[in-house]
């Protein structure tokens, strides 16, 4: 049986490179035949939801917008899920950020620490945690 | 034991000493932690008992940092091997 990598993702996609590292690592692990499980926790939960258009006045200039958009890795999460990655998020940290019950990206599932994350840990061989704490 | 470092912080080396104990230690530097791989910073990892240092190629390229020749620059293929096969324990700091 191929080993499984579990990634506990605590960083958001705008403040660090952690999500970029996560998707590159996960994609390579999948390509090499490993299983991949991702738990979006803390600020990481902000990657779980479908993007929605910003309403009202948008003050950001195009050049800065392009820079900010580099960190948006939601599409990569969709690809990882299509390739077999199991991706779950923490509804409690979503609640704390006012995003609980918003539609998830394709491939991302509702989750919690007690059941979902523990389940990932119990069925993985290697755990890495990416955070800024 | 492989220490996965993604940032610089004042207590990194102390944590490596404490958590690594007497085990053989290696470090994989990603993102801003690649600064530990410069000539100036590498001795701090050595003092903490780290015997071999790897640095993620994309992180190095993005920051245009000159690393010590003692650092081994690795791609994601090698990083997966380091994490999944080459070490029994991975510690993320």
């Amino acid at each position: 049986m191929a080993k499984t990598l579990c990634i506990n993702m605590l960083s958001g996609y705008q403040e660090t490179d952690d999500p970029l590292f996560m998707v590159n690592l996960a994609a390579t692990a999948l390509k090499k035949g490993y299983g991949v499980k991702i738990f979006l926790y803390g600020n990481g939960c902000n990657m779980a939801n479908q993007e929605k258009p910003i309403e009202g006045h948008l003050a950001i200039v195009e050049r800065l917008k392009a820079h900010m958009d580099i960190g948006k890795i939601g599409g990569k999460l969709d690809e990882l899920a299509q390739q077999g990655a199991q991706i779950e998020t923490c509804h409690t940290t979503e609640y704390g950020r006012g995003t609980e019950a918003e539609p998830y990206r394709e491939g991302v599932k509702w989750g919690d620490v007690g059941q979902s994350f523990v389940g990932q840990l119990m069925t993985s061989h290697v755990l890495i945690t990416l955070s800024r704490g | 034991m492989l220490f996965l470092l993604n940032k610089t912080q004042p207590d990194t080396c102390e944590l490596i000493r404490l958590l690594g104990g007497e085990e053989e230690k290696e470090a994989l530097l990603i993102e801003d932690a690649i600064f530990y791989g410069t000539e100036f910073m590498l001795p701090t990892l050595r003092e903490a008992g780290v015997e071999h240092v790897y640095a993620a190629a994309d992180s190095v390229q993005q920051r245009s940092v000159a690393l010590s020749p003692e650092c081994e620059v690795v791609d994601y293929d090698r990083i997966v091997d380091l994490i999944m096969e080459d070490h029994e324990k991975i510690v993320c700091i």
Side-chain angles (χ1 to χ4, degrees):
Chain A
M1 186 182 76
K3 290 183 182 175
T4 296
L5 169 67
C6 179
I7 305 173
N8 181 21
M9 182 73 247
L10 278 149
S11 303
Y13 65 85
Q14 289 292 353
E15 71 252 30
T16 76
D17 291 349
D18 287 343
L20 285 170
F21 176 78
M22 174 192 73
V23 294
N24 288 328
L25 179 69
T28 308
L30 287 166
K31 202 176 296 178
K32 289 170 76 81
Y34 296 104
V36 171
K37 302 184 182 208
I38 296 171
F39 190 68
L40 302 173
Y41 196 24
N43 283 349
C45 78
N46 289 339
M47 290 178 273
N49 302 111
Q50 292 176 20
E51 289 183 39
K52 56 186 178 187
I54 298 170
E55 295 176 358
H57 176 62
L58 196 60
I60 193 166
V61 297
E62 279 304 316
R63 193 173 168 196
L64 180 55
K65 182 174 178 295
H67 172 72
M68 299 293 285
D69 286 350
I70 291 171
K72 291 188 175 181
I73 52 88
K76 298 282 185 188
L77 287 182
D78 298 341
E79 290 173 18
L80 292 175
Q82 286 165 8
Q83 291 162 17
Q86 177 185 329
I87 309 172
E88 293 167 304
T89 185
C90 172
H91 80 104
T92 311
T93 51
E94 288 179 323
Y95 175 80
R97 289 158 181 77
T99 59
E100 186 172 23
E102 291 190 7
Y104 291 128
R105 301 194 69 92
E106 190 180 339
V108 177
K109 295 192 173 82
W110 181 97
D112 61 4
V113 172
Q115 297 290 323
S116 312
F117 187 43
V118 170
Q120 289 194 5
L121 293 176
M122 297 292 285
T123 53
S124 297
H125 300 83
V126 177
L127 165 70
I128 66 168
T129 296
L130 296 171
S131 76
R132 294 289 148 163
Chain B
M1 183 181 288
L2 179 69
F3 288 89
L4 175 58
L5 310 179
N6 66 344
K7 55 192 167 289
T8 59
Q9 53 186 2
D11 58 351
T12 296
C13 291
E14 184 57 24
L15 287 169
I16 290 173
R17 273 192 215 95
L18 280 171
L19 298 170
E22 299 301 315
E23 294 205 33
E24 289 184 8
K25 305 175 191 70
E26 296 192 329
L28 169 59
L29 312 178
I30 65 170
E31 305 171 32
D32 290 341
I34 62 150
F35 290 102
Y36 284 122
T38 60
E39 294 274 12
F40 179 72
M41 295 285 280
L42 192 61
T44 63
L45 291 182
R46 295 280 187 235
E47 286 167 19
V50 176
E51 292 160 25
H52 194 81
V53 179
Y54 306 91
D58 62 343
S59 299
V60 175
Q61 189 177 17
Q62 287 157 5
R63 289 160 180 81
S64 298
V65 173
L67 297 185
S68 161
E70 293 177 46
C71 284
E72 182 180 345
V73 178
V74 289
D75 61 12
Y76 279 98
D77 199 72
R78 182 79 177 105
I79 289 172
V80 169
D81 289 342
L82 289 170
I83 290 174
M84 298 303 291
E85 301 296 341
D86 295 356
H87 296 84
E88 284 193 12
K89 296 176 186 171
I90 314 292
V91 178
C92 305
I93 298 178

